Amino acid sequence: MNGKQQGGTFIRKENGVFVFPGFCDVHVHFREPGFSYKETMVTGSRAAARGGYTAVCAMPNLNPVPDSAEHLAAEEELIRAAGGLVDIFPYGALTVGEKGMEAAELEKMAPRVIAFSDDGKGVQSESMMRSLMERCRKLGRVLAAHCEDESLVRGGYIHDGAYAAAHGHKGICSESEWGPIARDLKLAKETGCAYHVCHISCRESAELIRQAKKDGVDVTCETGPHYLLLDENDLQEDGHFRMNPPLRAKEDREALVEALLDGTIDMIATDHAPHSAEEKSRGLAGSAFGVVGLECAFPVLYTGLVKTGILTLERLVCLMSEAPRARFGIPLRPDDTCEWDLEEQYEIDPEEFLSMGKATPFAGQRVYGRCLKTVHAGRTVYENSSV
Ligand SMILES: [Zn+2]
């Protein structure tokens, strides 16, 4: 067996109850400072704990954007005030205001951030990206890239495929994602930067990263549960199906599952991106981009990939716990655990979510796996009250 397929330590109790190492999500949006009406550090932490997570990395598309030591301090204060239900590691922004024009205070922020990213926006300029990679390499920090060529988006909001054509929607082509990835892989090879690609959604992205790994580039990548389990055939005329990147074609979903199995995809991150009910109520064409993920990630993945025999339980646990920690240098404490009843079957009901965001394309889906308890640093931070 390929070494990458191993990992995932857990304890099997009785009656289908398992104890796993606490999950770690390297891609969440907790929306503070700046957008407390969508989510707060406290509600995001509760949602994470309910989903079995004990560590998350918070993306910097905030107000103010953590692009300087001073702006980062505002976010750190909110993290401290949230009380440590789960560990929240902030990302520092790569550029001032995530505008891509001027580098952020990377050196000053480096000791206080988990990694650097302009998530929500792609760095459009190649020379800017090269210089950012050089600086991240010197600082020993991962550069996590949201890859999106803005010149190719052209007002699109779902995949530029059969569904968009049939229903008169504006599509986003796959090249808007894989184009920047191809550019960045070349830069990562030149600079030696530890490069991580956020939320890959299409076949070409997986192929490029697979080849780069063979060529010795220091690259890792993540994808989200929805890209592995849903595609454009599942689309409904509902804002709950609008996220960036979009759900792609069936061939893309299948290629991502293959990439997960052969180790090209290193980890699963949810891109938990809560918005208000109003912001998600304007259909596919008008809603905000983003869906929540923390509270249903493990059940949908367990049901869709493990129960169906595609992935082993050990491997899924590794992809959600050990693998992201290894890449981002987040230690796994022995007293960080989550306990699951894998035999309990139920329907995903977003009204039960502790997150302020309720929009998920998995609403109503029947799944296996209920989180019974999450322990962080030896303290019970979530307990299912119905037990
Ligand atoms: Zn993103």
Side-chain angles (χ1 to χ4, degrees), residues 27 29 59 61 117-121 145-148 198-199 222 244-245 271:
H27 195 138
H29 298 270
M59 283 299 182
N61 50 343
S117 180
D118 264 4
D119 187 58
K121 286 224 159 140
H146 168 114
C147 288
E148 182 173 19
C198 297
H199 45 56
E222 69 190 41
N244 188 19
D271 193 3

Side-chain angles (χ1 to χ4, degrees), residues 6 34 39 55 74 115 126 157 162 184 217 228 236 291 312 349 375:
Q6 293 170 358
E39 188 82 295
E126 178 168 343
Y157 43 84
D184 287 359
V217 179
L228 293 164
Q236 294 174 22
V291 294
T312 64
D349 176 7
V375 175

